[in-house]
Amino acid sequence: MKSKLIYFLSISLIFSICIIAESYSTDKRVRIHQHQITPAMVEEQGNDDSFRTHLPIIKINTNNQKIPGTPIINGSTTTKYELAEDGTSDIVVSFEVIDNKGMTNDLNSTPTIQTDAKIHYRGNSSRYFDKKSYSVQLVNDYGSNEEELLGMARHDKWVLNGPFLDRSLLRNYVCMNIAGEIMDYAPNVRYCELFVDDEYKGVYLLMEPISQGEGRLNLTKTEDKNNYTSFIVNWDREGKGKYELNNLTYYTLKTNGSTLDIRYPGTAKLTEEKLNYIQEEISKVEKILYSNDLYLDDTYTELIDINAFAEYFIINEFFRNVDAGRYSTYYYKDMREKIKPVVWDFNNSCNNYMDEEFDESGFSLQDTPWFSQLVKDKKFVALVIGKYRELRKSYLSEDYLVDYIDSTNRWLGEAVQRNDEVWGYVYDLNHYNPFNFLTPVERNVTSHEEAVKQFKDYIIRRGKWLDNHIESLYQYCADSKNVNNVKR
């Protein structure tokens, strides 16, 4: 009897350990917030003239090549982008990183990483900015070269984002990290200071682009022998994509000028059969979302991760990211799982949209593909409201966000002043032009301090407005609003 009891207790103990181990498995992502783990420096310059900083330093040497990707404008229309001298869209450069973790980084120090890279200017409206952003692919003599950069997972593809229209320098860092605490995945970001051909270019964010890979979207890799595949697709402006889909919402003209483009698998692995499979999977979801079936049962929730879509809705609405849902919008699917969204690009958020003012009131996603239908389902709206109320007690609380912004800004320290020595002319509104400023001119701030205050004040007002009006989302699933659209 005693031996049976010991056996039973042993089995129970083993089972309990397995449960605990599962809850702490490597599938649980731990978000790294750079400003919380890297100490700031009290004094960044020594007695000599060497450049020193607590931020990592990235150095690009073009060997006197012209960086391709600048828009070529004919009148008021962009006809194409500049190419390299050999007619290609990238140039190969020397790419160096100086990242002495937790210590001072000196421009004259031996690089911690040194490799070649292919680069070009990137972005939509940001290509017109004086301060450019860069697409980076690390390469070597054998092809792509995967490296771990600034503590982020090893990969060959990266983005150097130059916050410029966002004069606070904070939006992408703050919003990506907050999203990363809420969703399964949001791109990791790290501040750095950039030099190109020995010229100081200011404060940048090194970002993970949305791509397949361990530590990013760790999707089951596509196989040549299979016609089905994991995939990543991107909503963006029609005509921009390389492999745009002819899915249901596109050919029924419900996308308002945006299309879905395949981002994974890439050219080397994307066959016609795989393209057709992705198109069919997307259209399968859309046929349910845009039909009566949405209201009859939970069929669509078998195909998309409703919790992930609710979290995406909350994050982008809270920060009033008005491009979300139609542009710079990514969905992904592991072949064994449901479709999920992932956040991208918050530079235009919190009333920082270049061409139009968006105050703290109202919603945006209800007018975008897929979400225009999801908000017609009371279960989805109730899920959004419930999650929102909970998140306002933690990552979306006023105190948490204001402290997060203030502590990040303090941590950036003298890097802000160095950045403004190069780009601070934008605070003089006599330099106003429609390519580098918000429209109309009076929307623009005249100091970094004002930009940070504007960012914080907007978040406070937006949170209070949502607290008082989040339940108004039920209007979109009311019978009276949808009586002419569907039969229940």
Side-chain angles (χ1 to χ4, degrees):
M1 184 70 177
K2 185 177 180 181
S3 61
K4 287 184 178 180
L5 179 60
I6 293 173
Y7 175 79
F8 175 77
L9 291 174
S10 300
I11 295 297
S12 299
L13 179 61
I14 292 171
F15 181 76
S16 299
I17 291 172
C18 290
I19 293 295
I20 294 171
E22 177 69 20
S23 67
Y24 288 95
S25 70
T26 55
D27 290 339
K28 178 67 176 175
R29 298 178 189 268
V30 177
R31 189 76 184 185
I32 302 299
H33 302 257
Q34 184 186 20
H35 75 287
Q36 296 175 350
I37 65 168
T38 304
M41 293 169 54
V42 176
E43 184 177 347
E44 298 188 349
Q45 303 301 328
N47 295 325
D48 55 22
D49 293 330
S50 181
F51 178 94
R52 294 187 179 93
T53 175
H54 64 294
L55 301 185
I57 299 171
I58 291 180
K59 298 167 65 177
I60 293 173
N61 188 339
T62 68
N63 297 310
N64 297 316
Q65 300 175 87
K66 188 174 186 177
I67 301 174
T70 298
I72 298 174
I73 304 173
N74 184 5
S76 60
T77 304
T78 299
T79 55
K80 54 185 177 180
Y81 299 116
E82 289 182 351
L83 298 176
E85 291 180 2
D86 62 359
T88 60
S89 57
D90 298 281
I91 58 171
V92 178
V93 301
S94 171
F95 187 91
E96 297 179 357
V97 177
I98 300 172
D99 183 20
N100 299 303
K101 303 182 187 304
M103 300 170 59
T104 300
N105 294 305
D106 189 307
L107 185 63
N108 296 324
S109 297
T110 301
T112 50
I113 291 175
Q114 189 167 10
T115 180
D116 287 339
K118 292 181 178 181
I119 69 167
H120 63 261
Y121 295 135
R122 70 172 306 278
N124 289 312
S125 57
S126 61
R127 286 193 195 231
Y128 298 86
F129 296 165
D130 292 349
K131 186 180 183 181
K132 305 290 193 210
S133 294
Y134 303 80
S135 177
V136 177
Q137 182 182 10
L138 306 182
V139 296
N140 55 26
D141 292 341
Y142 306 99
S144 65
N145 178 29
E146 296 186 349
E147 295 280 1
E148 178 185 305
L149 299 186
L150 313 191
M152 294 181 281
R154 183 180 299 273
H155 210 283
D156 64 322
K157 294 183 175 64
W158 301 89
V159 166
L160 272 168
N161 173 255
F164 187 57
L165 193 66
D166 173 18
R167 314 294 198 221
S168 75
L169 311 177
L170 296 169
R171 280 172 171 78
N172 260 331
Y173 180 84
V174 172
C175 299
M176 286 292 190
N177 281 330
I178 297 302
E181 291 288 2
I182 297 170
M183 301 189 72
D184 286 349
Y185 172 75
N188 286 290
V189 293
R190 300 286 192 274
Y191 281 112
C192 62
E193 294 187 78
L194 177 67
F195 285 80
V196 178
D197 294 333
D198 298 322
E199 182 181 355
Y200 180 70
K201 293 293 185 179
V203 172
Y204 272 71
L205 271 179
L206 184 68
M207 302 176 63
E208 297 175 340
I210 295 169
S211 50
Q212 191 276 342
E214 187 174 348
R216 295 190 180 178
L217 295 178
N218 195 12
L219 307 178
T220 303
K221 289 185 177 180
T222 188
E223 297 179 355
D224 293 338
K225 63 182 179 180
N226 293 329
N227 292 333
Y228 57 88
T229 180
S230 303
F231 60 81
I232 303 171
V233 292
N234 169 221
W235 282 113
D236 219 319
R237 291 162 180 81
E238 184 177 356
K240 276 191 60 183
K242 193 172 183 180
Y243 301 106
E244 293 181 346
L245 298 179
N246 189 32
N247 50 302
L248 183 144
T249 52
Y250 177 73
Y251 65 71
T252 56
L253 307 178
K254 299 181 185 297
T255 61
N256 297 320
S258 60
T259 56
L260 277 174
D261 179 51
I262 299 173
R263 294 302 183 92
Y264 178 83
T267 301
K269 293 288 185 180
L270 184 62
T271 62
E272 184 176 351
E273 290 78 13
K274 284 182 168 62
L275 188 151
N276 289 334
Y277 166 78
I278 296 169
Q279 195 161 265
E280 289 169 5
E281 286 295 294
I282 295 294
S283 291
K284 188 188 300 181
V285 174
E286 294 179 333
K287 286 174 183 176
I288 298 174
L289 288 178
Y290 288 85
S291 74
N292 294 352
D293 291 345
L294 173 66
Y295 312 98
L296 297 177
D297 54 39
D298 290 333
T299 307
Y300 80 92
T301 63
E302 298 171 6
L303 302 176
I304 71 172
D305 188 319
I306 189 172
N307 284 289
F309 274 82
E311 290 162 355
Y312 181 93
F313 188 100
I314 292 165
I315 293 164
N316 283 287
E317 285 292 359
F318 185 87
F319 293 112
R320 203 77 204 277
N321 194 19
V322 295
D323 271 349
R326 60 168 61 85
Y327 304 133
S328 298
T329 297
Y330 290 80
Y331 298 154
Y332 66 97
K333 182 184 186 300
D334 188 277
M335 62 177 68
R336 296 171 295 192
E337 298 179 3
K338 300 177 182 181
I339 295 176
K340 299 179 182 181
V342 59
V343 297
W344 181 251
D345 193 2
F346 289 89
N347 274 324
N348 292 333
S349 67
C350 295
N351 197 24
N352 203 53
Y353 197 79
M354 178 180 280
D355 302 321
E356 186 176 352
E357 184 170 6
F358 291 90
D359 66 18
E360 67 274 13
S361 62
F363 300 98
S364 301
L365 277 164
Q366 81 285 352
D367 291 325
T368 64
W370 293 31
F371 287 98
S372 63
Q373 298 303 109
L374 287 172
V375 294
K376 294 180 180 179
D377 182 11
K378 290 181 180 178
K379 296 184 295 296
F380 178 77
V381 172
L383 182 63
V384 166
I385 293 171
K387 282 180 175 288
Y388 172 78
R389 294 294 186 198
E390 287 302 310
L391 287 169
R392 280 292 275 170
K393 301 173 186 176
S394 56
Y395 296 115
L396 295 184
S397 73
E398 181 179 311
D399 289 345
Y400 182 89
L401 289 170
V402 169
D403 179 70
Y404 194 99
I405 291 169
D406 285 339
S407 59
T408 302
N409 189 49
R410 285 194 302 271
W411 177 81
L412 282 173
E414 293 179 9
V416 173
Q417 284 74 50
R418 289 193 293 271
N419 181 84
D420 285 351
E421 286 174 8
V422 179
W423 306 111
Y425 61 84
V426 293
Y427 298 129
D428 180 354
L429 301 187
N430 291 317
H431 290 285
Y432 175 82
N433 64 71
F435 294 108
N436 293 282
F437 291 78
L438 302 177
T439 301
V441 63
E442 56 267 19
R443 291 179 59 206
N444 295 275
V445 297
T446 56
S447 69
H448 175 75
E449 293 75 17
E450 185 183 348
V452 174
K453 183 178 186 301
Q454 182 190 65
F455 184 31
K456 288 191 298 185
D457 289 349
Y458 186 90
I459 284 175
I460 292 169
R461 295 196 309 272
R462 179 65 171 163
K464 289 178 178 176
W465 187 91
L466 286 170
D467 290 346
N468 293 326
H469 297 89
I470 190 73
E471 273 82 10
S472 67
L473 285 172
Y474 280 119
Q475 68 178 294
Y476 298 110
C477 52
D479 290 344
S480 58
K481 189 174 185 67
N482 298 295
V483 67
N484 294 323
N485 300 82
V486 296
K487 296 178 181 178
R488 295 188 179 229

